Amino acid sequence: MLKMTPLNHVHRDMNAKMVDFGGWDMPLHYGSQLDEHHKIRQDSGMFDVSHMLPVDIRGPQVRDFLRHLVANNVDKLTLPGKALYSCMLTPQGGIIDDLIIYFLSETWFRIVVNAGTADKDVAWMLKQRDQSAPQLEISPRRDLAMIAVQGPNARAKVWQVIPGSQSLTEELKQFQSAAVGQYFIARTGYTGEDGFEIILPAADAPSLWKALHAAGVAPAGLGARDTLRLEAGMNLYGQDMDETKHPMESGLTWTVDLKSERDFIGKNALLNTSTTHHLVGLVLIDRGVLRSHQHVVGHKDGSEYQGEITSGGFSPTMNQSIALARMPMQITIGDEVNVIVRDKQLRANVVKYPFVRNGKIMI
């Protein structure tokens, strides 16, 4: 039996193409994945991300607990509503999950984790809590829904629909949030465009979705979400990172704080691990489509280096095939490599991602 978000019947009423996504019944598209992609790059669109899980952690010393739990440093969070992107690691330095942490007060932090890893994440948090901070309350919030509204006109559309939201959220910078009544509105996203992610009571989600749609916000499904995040150079858990890879070989070095004296789970392993591979961008020169798991071969100084595409696909904005690939450190930006596609070697340029941000091609 597939799990359903509070918006499931709304998606079906809008004739969405529904698919099994990690055990969740989710919309793939509402007619045209391509149109949905362009709508978000040029105007505004919305995603149901209620399959993701907000987890509230409350109690004394919650900051100390998070200092040890995650690789980034929560001491960066000093302003209520501020958010931090981080990874939660195994003792060996592998990535259990990537997540966003919101600082609400010294006794209340909110963490949003991925749908596919939610049960594993909560179990890990509870295990660490029981060992070091049994006084903390860890509460998965399946009573909440999440709607992401993205695009250059997304914020204006949200202000139009949610009374009083403009005055409370207009001055928010990226990775800041504010409470608007029972709505928790964060200026975050997974598309490379501006916008909000809204956490709200599950019962209120259908009415907000319909109001946004009436205001001209296009519904968008998993297909457009994936092409948008790939263009934006954003990792997908299970493809670009997992427990077998550490952040430095997954393009996430910037999310790890090794400078402070604090200890965190996985720190010792990272300090004693040499990074042999890194994540790079690829833009295909020849005709074809790049896909995950395709083999990549590069040559440098007379030696051959082999890697693999972690995420790939067609970029609607660039009208080219692009990819993220894990390659040996010797292969760098500006090199040309060959991607093995159906026993053919297709040429691709190694580039610095993101490929597209805020509607602009960056390559």
Side-chain angles (χ1 to χ4, degrees), residues 97-114:
D97 196 13
D98 67 320
L99 39 82
I100 295 181
I101 304 168
Y102 295 95
F103 167 53
L104 304 180
S105 76
E106 285 301 333
T107 59
W108 179 18
F109 284 69
R110 171 169 288 172
I111 301 178
V112 178
V113 304
N114 284 306

Side-chain angles (χ1 to χ4, degrees), residues 248-249 276-280 325-332:
M248 285 69 170
E249 56 187 346
T276 60
H277 289 69
H278 61 158
L279 211 60
V280 299
R326 184 169 286 109
M327 295 297 297
M329 298 295 290
Q330 291 85 352
I331 302 299
T332 57

Side-chain angles (χ1 to χ4, degrees), residues 15-140:
N15 297 315
K17 168 68 174 177
M18 305 297 287
V19 295
D20 180 349
F21 181 71
W24 288 85
D25 191 36
M26 296 295 291
L28 179 64
H29 60 74
Y30 297 80
S32 170
Q33 174 181 330
L34 195 62
D35 288 348
E36 292 165 20
H37 178 106
H38 289 311
K39 185 75 171 179
I40 290 167
R41 284 279 180 250
Q42 299 166 8
D43 185 2
S44 62
M46 57 185 171
F47 301 95
D48 177 11
V49 288
S50 304
H51 57 315
M52 299 180 71
L53 178 64
V55 180
D56 286 346
I57 306 182
R58 295 177 181 261
Q61 287 81 53
V62 61
R63 187 185 289 273
D64 286 340
F65 175 70
L66 292 174
R67 282 190 184 107
H68 184 64
L69 183 72
V70 298
N72 213 337
N73 193 347
V74 294
D75 287 341
K76 298 175 183 176
L77 299 176
T78 58
L79 180 71
K82 190 74 174 70
L84 181 73
Y85 179 69
S86 184
C87 292
M88 190 164 58
L89 307 179
T90 67
Q92 295 75 35
I95 302 172
I96 295 173
D97 196 13
D98 67 320
L99 39 82
I100 295 181
I101 304 168
Y102 295 95
F103 167 53
L104 304 180
S105 76
E106 285 301 333
T107 59
W108 179 18
F109 284 69
R110 171 169 288 172
I111 301 178
V112 178
V113 304
N114 284 306
T117 57
D119 291 343
K120 176 183 70 170
D121 290 355
V122 173
W124 180 254
M125 291 178 193
L126 290 172
K127 178 181 178 181
Q128 303 308 315
R129 187 275 311 268
D130 292 346
Q131 291 177 353
S132 62
Q135 74 279 11
L136 294 180
E137 178 184 337
I138 297 180
S139 305

